[in-house]
């Protein structure tokens, strides 16, 4: 196939194509921002509202949602500015530094939180009784604060903020950090913990299968496993599967971007702008789809999402009531339901 002769396009045509591409990118990122904000606010609201979700592992989910919210509130809007308001972007090189440093921050928080959550699942299965006594809610919150503290330290201690206008033209991590730091960030702070999480998750699932097979259907005590704890262990195993899927989704959405950053940082020929855009959008699809994936994998979150988004329908279903329709005298009217059953509705 013969190559396309770009000489037929004038300067005005190329400028129009560039503007159209920036507009499409800006709209795409704006949609991702809306999905990220709505989904992660829903996760935080349900975690705070429902007593069923005030569990140690759910605290890590809330931490991930906070990181996703800040990603949608700080990093992604700056990317939209770089597409739609180039005059402001070029006039303020600090925007590139802010974009790069906070991208590193929230990526580090996500990785560390997933790593701690994998350790949490491992001990909940392999050391169940010790886990119930030692890993209290307070200590879990301390671990989350530790994750954020380490992430802030490794992110802003090595960032170089200056007024170099060249950053705005070619905004990359290598402009905010040194080349060595970019390699360390991708290989040690992202790829190594991710490999550790995958190995640990494999051990978790293997141990969970072994634990559940130790209990006979007649209730006999086998291999020093307390049968009274079996329902809780089953719940821990079910939630461990959810954590495995979250980890795998993180790998699918984030690892291509990390590989691209390594290749782009080494100035390898053939690294195209299209790969840069695709891997970046894939990265932001993880926080945007987090609530959707969580609701699909976890029955607890799915039910709580429904209670928050459709409280009246959930109340009718729980009370086995007929849906309200005009002209049916036996149907339950919404106004009457809220007046007569306000106490029950508040506790449901």
């Amino acid at each position: 196939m013969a190559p396309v002769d770009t000489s037929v396009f004038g300067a005005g045509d190329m400028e129009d194509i560039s503007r159209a591409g920036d507009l499409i990118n800006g709209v795409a990122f704006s949609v991702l921002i809306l999905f990220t904000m709505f989904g992660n606010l829903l996760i935080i609201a349900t975690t705070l509202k429902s007593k069923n979700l005030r569990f140690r592992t759910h605290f890590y989910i809330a931490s991930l949602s906070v990181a996703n919210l800040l990603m949608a509130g700080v990093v992604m809007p700056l990317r939209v500015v770089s597409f739609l308001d180039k005059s402001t972007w070029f006039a303020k090189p600090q925007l590139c530094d802010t974009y790069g440093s906070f991208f590193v921050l929230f990526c580090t928080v996500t990785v560390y939180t997933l790593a701690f959550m994998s350790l949490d699942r491992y001990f909940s299965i392999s050391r169940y009784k010790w886990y119930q006594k030692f890993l209290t809610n307070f200590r879990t919150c301390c671990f989350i604060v530790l994750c954020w503290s380490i992430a802030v330290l490794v992110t802003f201690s090595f960032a170089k903020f200056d007024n170099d206008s060249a950053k705005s033209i070619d905004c990359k991590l290598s402009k905010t950090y040194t080349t060595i730091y970019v390699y360390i960030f991708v290989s040690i702070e992202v790829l190594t913990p991710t490999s550790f999480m995958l190995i640990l998750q494999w051990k978790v699932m293997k141990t969970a299968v072994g634990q559940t097979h130790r209990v006979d259907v007649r209730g006999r005590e086998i291999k020093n496993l307390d049968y009274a704890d079996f329902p809780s262990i089953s719940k821990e195993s079910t939630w461990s599967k959810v954590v495995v899927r979250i980890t795998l989704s993180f790998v699918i959405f984030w690892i291509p971007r990390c590989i691209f950053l390594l290749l782009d940082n080494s100035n390898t020929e053939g690294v195209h702008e299209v790969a840069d855009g695709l891997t970046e959008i894939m990265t932001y699809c993880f926080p945007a789809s987090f609530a959707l994936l969580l609701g699909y994998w976890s029955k607890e979150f799915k039910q709580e999402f429904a209670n928050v988004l459709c409280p009246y329908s959930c109340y009718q279903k729980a009370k086995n009531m007929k849906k309200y329709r005009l002209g049916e005298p036996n149907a339950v009217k919404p106004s009457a339901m809220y007046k007569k059953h306000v106490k029950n509705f508040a506790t449901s």
Side-chain angles (χ1 to χ4, degrees), residues 178-341:
T178 61
T179 303
I180 297 177
Y181 180 85
V182 175
Y183 281 110
I184 292 176
F185 165 71
V186 175
S187 59
I188 297 180
E189 294 187 23
V190 179
L191 296 181
T192 300
T194 301
S195 302
F196 167 76
M197 285 186 290
L198 293 176
I199 296 173
L200 198 60
Q201 294 291 353
W202 175 77
K203 291 185 177 181
V204 167
M205 298 311 300
K206 184 178 179 180
T207 305
V209 173
Q211 291 281 26
T212 54
H213 287 173
R214 290 178 186 178
V215 179
D216 187 76
V217 293
R218 297 178 182 177
R220 293 179 298 169
E221 186 173 323
I222 301 176
K223 294 185 180 181
N224 298 324
L225 179 65
D226 188 1
Y227 183 72
D229 291 335
F230 177 70
S232 298
I233 292 178
S234 179
K235 181 179 179 181
E236 300 287 356
S237 301
T238 301
W239 184 247
S240 297
K241 296 178 182 179
V242 177
V243 175
V244 170
R245 291 165 180 167
I246 293 174
T247 305
L248 291 177
S249 64
F250 171 80
V251 171
I252 294 173
F253 286 120
W254 277 85
I255 298 305
R257 183 61 178 174
C258 296
I259 296 175
F260 173 81
L261 291 175
L262 287 176
L263 295 177
D264 186 56
N265 192 57
S266 61
N267 295 322
T268 303
E269 295 183 359
V271 178
H272 199 267
E273 292 183 358
V274 175
D276 185 11
L278 288 177
T279 55
E280 188 176 18
I281 290 178
M282 284 184 62
T283 299
Y284 298 133
C285 284
F286 175 74
S289 61
F290 186 53
L292 182 64
L293 297 176
L294 191 61
Y296 180 76
W297 291 329
S298 174
K299 293 182 180 180
E300 295 176 346
F301 272 99
K302 182 179 181 179
Q303 181 62 39
E304 295 301 330
F305 288 165
N307 290 337
V308 172
L309 297 177
C310 305
Y312 177 60
S313 298
C314 293
Y315 181 84
Q316 282 185 319
K317 184 177 180 181
K319 299 299 181 180
N320 196 23
M321 295 179 177
K322 293 177 61 178
K323 292 184 178 180
Y324 174 72
R325 294 183 178 88
L326 294 175
E328 295 185 6
N330 295 327
V332 180
K333 295 183 179 181
S335 58
M337 186 275 292
Y338 279 103
K339 291 179 181 179
K340 295 181 180 180
H341 308 283

